Amino acid sequence: MAWRQFLVFDLDGTLIDSAPDIADAVNILLGELGKPALPLGDIKTMIGDGAPVLLARSLKASGLSHDAADLMPRFKTIYEAASTNRTVLYPKVREILEAFRQEGRHLSLCTNKPSVATRVVLDHFGLSALFHAVVGGDSLKERKPAKEPLLAAIIQSGGDPANASETAVMVGDSHTDLATAKAGGVPGIIIPSGYGRAADRESQGAYHEIARFADLPALLTELDH
């Protein structure tokens, strides 16, 4: 009998709906550069591969040739100051995470969101104490979909990557999270959110998909047997 003791979660689009605040930060910066705001729906599809990639995509969509790296400090300042204005937890997230902890599961976060902003959001929602480990987009040299952040999250929460295929699972919402799970050799659970590129069975192989976070406990029960 397998037991998924080590649960690794994505953040944006999986635990929280943060697109409105991210879009506001992008559009404030674009306004400073003399460009009109991009639609929320457009920015939502750009999220998931890290803030530098998001910013580069936004600049390109606005017809700007600026180097995203040069603008990252300003973008981080804007976003970190207002990262919880309109961000909300998805339904049942807190209750389910607390229940997982009570069951003895080890929870970790593996996100491409910068670490400072990640901590601000977790503290705001009172979730920080629920996670044994937090790996942000700037915690390592590599970001998702590389396997290193996922494996670091498993190790830091007390797991062994050597048997992660039987003891761990990656829960996310997009192509990036599924690719990360595949690279790290762990099962992937996808809850589609509209963030980033959609997961694709044809190109990435089998994975588990649920419609909402509230369906996660039942699926884990199946995977545990």
Side-chain angles (χ1 to χ4, degrees), residues 9-21 79 83-98 107 109 113 117-131 191 193 195 212-214:
F9 294 91
D10 172 52
L11 182 58
D12 297 294
T14 301
L15 304 182
I16 61 173
D17 183 8
S18 53
D21 282 326
Y79 179 64
S83 59
T84 58
N85 286 352
R86 297 201 285 158
T87 293
V88 296
L89 284 178
Y90 284 119
K92 300 295 183 181
V93 164
R94 184 190 310 279
E95 298 92 328
I96 290 171
L97 293 181
E98 289 174 346
L107 313 184
L109 202 64
K113 196 181 200 73
T118 296
R119 290 292 185 183
V120 168
V121 170
L122 292 179
D123 289 346
H124 174 78
F125 289 110
L127 298 180
S128 296
L130 295 178
F131 291 97
I191 313 170
S193 67
Y195 284 56
R212 54 185 183 164
F213 199 85

Side-chain angles (χ1 to χ4, degrees), residues 189-204:
I189 298 175
I190 298 298
I191 313 170
S193 67
Y195 284 56
R197 291 173 55 196
D200 180 7
R201 276 191 173 86
E202 185 172 331
S203 65
Q204 294 180 283

Side-chain angles (χ1 to χ4, degrees), residues 28-209:
I28 288 171
L29 181 58
L30 291 177
E32 293 177 355
L33 297 173
K35 290 293 183 177
L38 294 173
L40 172 61
D42 290 357
I43 293 176
K44 196 171 181 180
T45 66
M46 302 176 189
I47 297 171
D49 293 307
V53 177
L54 164 67
L55 189 53
R57 289 169 176 165
S58 302
L59 293 169
K60 182 178 180 180
S62 299
L64 294 170
S65 58
H66 295 66
D67 188 336
D70 293 337
L71 295 172
M72 272 303 300
R74 176 58 182 153
F75 175 73
K76 281 185 169 183
T77 297
I78 294 170
Y79 179 64
E80 289 167 6
S83 59
T84 58
N85 286 352
R86 297 201 285 158
T87 293
V88 296
L89 284 178
Y90 284 119
K92 300 295 183 181
V93 164
R94 184 190 310 279
E95 298 92 328
I96 290 171
L97 293 181
E98 289 174 346
F100 286 155
R101 281 294 301 258
Q102 291 172 3
E103 292 171 5
R105 300 188 197 260
H106 291 219
L107 313 184
S108 59
L109 202 64
C110 181
T111 175
N112 278 340
K113 196 181 200 73
S115 298
V116 171
T118 296
R119 290 292 185 183
V120 168
V121 170
L122 292 179
D123 289 346
H124 174 78
F125 289 110
L127 298 180
S128 296
L130 295 178
F131 291 97
H132 292 82
V134 175
V135 179
D138 51 4
S139 296
L140 306 174
K141 184 172 69 173
E142 304 86 356
R143 293 195 302 268
K144 296 186 300 183
K147 66 181 179 180
E148 285 78 9
L150 169 60
L151 299 182
I154 292 171
I155 291 169
Q156 291 175 26
S157 59
D160 181 359
N163 57 21
S165 63
E166 294 295 325
T167 61
V169 68
M170 173 81 201
V171 182
D173 67 302
S174 70
H175 171 96
T176 299
D177 299 309
L178 183 56
T180 304
K182 185 176 180 180
V186 306
I189 298 175
I190 298 298
I191 313 170
S193 67
Y195 284 56
R197 291 173 55 196
D200 180 7
R201 276 191 173 86
E202 185 172 331
S203 65
Q204 294 180 283
Y207 61 92
H208 306 276
E209 183 174 314

